[in-house]
Amino acid sequence: MFAFRSSPHTHGRRDTGWIMRQVMLAAVPAIAIMLWQFGFGVLFNLAIAMGTALLVEGIMLRQRQRPVRFFLKDGSALLTALLLAIAIPPTAPWWLTVVGVVFAIAIAKQLYGGLGNNPFNPAMAGYVLLLISFPVQMTSWLAPIGVGELQPNLLQAAQITFSSSFNGQPIDAFTMATPLDSLRTGLINGQTTSEIITQPIFGWVGGSGWELINLALLLGGIYMLSRRVIEWRIPLAVLLGLLVPATLFYAFSPDQFASPLMHLFSGGTMLGAFFIATDPVSASTTPKGRLIFGAGVGLLIWLIRSFGQYPDAVAFAVLLMNMAAPAIDHLTRTRAYGH
């Protein structure tokens, strides 16, 4: 006798919670390198962001009369908090992280109907709000280990996070520009690229510390591809969309444009390519559309970095292409058989 059971007959573990946990796991090596390079402020950013995300998500779900425990378990709020926290400088005051997370969860996610309905990547929406509203705090990075004088321990990092000062001095006295910001400032002041990159902060190819972080994020992205957590088209298109114009213009004028390797391994390039642009909700969903979407993100990153006012343009590029995603999907949808 055969036992007849209703479908589905097989059960997989690839639910939303599993996917979110895999993405967070893939980011762990990069977080460890950030902790090594920039100090314990990274941990405070993560703790404040994740605690705030769970609280705000719970409040919004209760106000919307949704099952709080069920939706909190999917891990989407924690992932949003993690991505925003590692994009914020480790010297950021505690309230800055809170403001960014509240906007990302309450406004960019829950007011649109929660996970699956948000047209914009919540973490990048929160980041752009902070960057436009508080540019000084959002560009105050400590020098990486071996370059700067201040390497705060746990208690010193707590002092910086909760008082925005160190031993009575404003934290601005100990921070410096990122490699991309230094490059942009140098070019504006008439220096050539070859002159600018002689500074210690530029490291080997992408900036001291930053190249290691981007390499770790690249390895995390490869891990997600191997686990089929993300699909290959968007990351590949983002990197090619950035690499092609960077290579062409660098070959034409190497003294006025950054090298392709610097573009790839500086700032948030790998974070954007593998962890941000691949958001299945706010990105394009058709096969051709994903290639167009990713290439658009990469091209916009290069354009804004090279000619715009913001040295690292990942968040702006992603949000602009989020707006274009519905149109891209409409134009690249598969034609139904017989039509």
Side-chain angles (χ1 to χ4, degrees):
M1 296 289 295
F2 293 100
F4 293 93
R5 304 183 189 277
S6 62
S7 62
H9 301 292
T10 60
H11 300 275
R13 58 172 182 167
R14 296 175 59 85
D15 57 8
T16 302
W18 181 84
I19 293 173
M20 299 298 172
R21 289 191 295 272
Q22 291 297 308
V23 177
M24 288 188 281
L25 180 62
V28 168
I31 293 172
I33 293 178
M34 288 187 70
L35 182 63
W36 168 44
Q37 290 290 323
F38 298 110
F40 288 97
V42 178
L43 293 183
F44 285 104
N45 281 358
L46 287 167
I48 294 169
M50 289 184 168
T52 303
L54 290 176
L55 177 62
V56 174
E57 181 102 326
I59 292 172
M60 294 298 294
L61 287 170
R62 186 172 294 277
Q63 291 298 314
R64 295 178 56 229
Q65 299 182 351
R66 298 291 190 271
V68 176
R69 180 174 296 182
F70 174 80
F71 284 105
L72 285 182
K73 288 195 308 182
D74 67 19
S76 61
L78 289 177
L79 179 58
T80 296
L82 182 149
L83 295 175
L84 181 57
I86 62 177
I88 294 175
T91 57
W94 65 270
W95 55 264
L96 188 82
T97 307
V98 171
V99 169
V101 172
V102 169
F103 184 84
I105 299 296
I107 307 299
K109 180 183 177 185
Q110 287 296 331
L111 286 189
Y112 283 101
L115 182 66
N117 299 294
N118 49 286
F120 302 103
N121 183 280
M124 292 300 95
Y127 179 87
V128 166
L129 171 78
L130 296 179
L131 184 60
I132 294 174
S133 304
F134 311 103
V136 174
Q137 291 86 349
M138 286 294 289
T139 54
S140 298
W141 286 82
L142 290 174
I145 189 170
V147 177
E149 299 178 0
L150 177 61
Q151 295 297 325
N153 57 33
L154 186 63
L155 292 178
Q156 292 169 338
Q159 179 186 2
I160 293 170
T161 299
F162 294 103
S163 69
S164 299
S165 63
F166 179 73
N167 291 339
Q169 298 185 56
I171 192 58
D172 293 351
F174 302 94
T175 59
M176 63 185 303
T178 63
L180 285 172
D181 198 13
S182 297
L183 178 66
R184 176 179 170 275
T185 302
L187 290 174
I188 291 175
N189 292 333
Q191 293 179 283
T192 64
T193 303
S194 55
E195 293 173 338
I196 299 168
I197 62 174
T198 58
Q199 302 173 39
I201 194 175
F202 284 94
W204 296 304
V205 293
S208 182
W210 295 98
E211 50 209 7
L212 296 177
I213 294 169
N214 274 278
L215 180 59
L217 290 168
L218 172 60
L219 295 176
I222 293 173
Y223 168 79
M224 290 191 291
L225 289 170
S226 68
R227 300 284 287 173
R228 296 186 178 180
V229 175
I230 60 175
E231 204 259 354
W232 62 269
R233 288 179 175 84
I234 290 178
L236 179 63
V238 170
L239 297 180
L240 288 178
L242 174 60
L243 185 64
V244 170
T247 302
L248 292 175
F249 277 79
Y250 182 72
F252 176 74
S253 182
D255 285 337
Q256 296 299 317
F257 293 95
S259 70
L261 286 177
M262 183 169 184
H263 276 294
L264 289 180
F265 291 97
S266 287
T269 300
M270 297 301 172
L271 180 68
F274 291 98
F275 292 81
I276 303 295
T278 53
D279 176 13
V281 177
S282 57
S284 185
T285 56
T286 65
K288 290 182 180 178
R290 288 170 177 168
L291 292 172
I292 297 171
F293 177 88
V297 170
L299 178 60
L300 285 171
I301 291 173
W302 180 81
L303 285 172
I304 298 173
R305 281 181 177 179
S306 301
F307 305 105
Q309 296 298 313
Y310 294 94
D312 197 359
V314 171
F316 291 100
V318 169
L319 293 180
L320 288 170
M321 291 307 297
N322 285 163
M323 289 190 287
I328 294 173
D329 282 347
H330 176 74
L331 294 173
T332 59
R333 61 186 177 184
T334 303
R335 184 182 297 273
Y337 181 75
H339 290 268

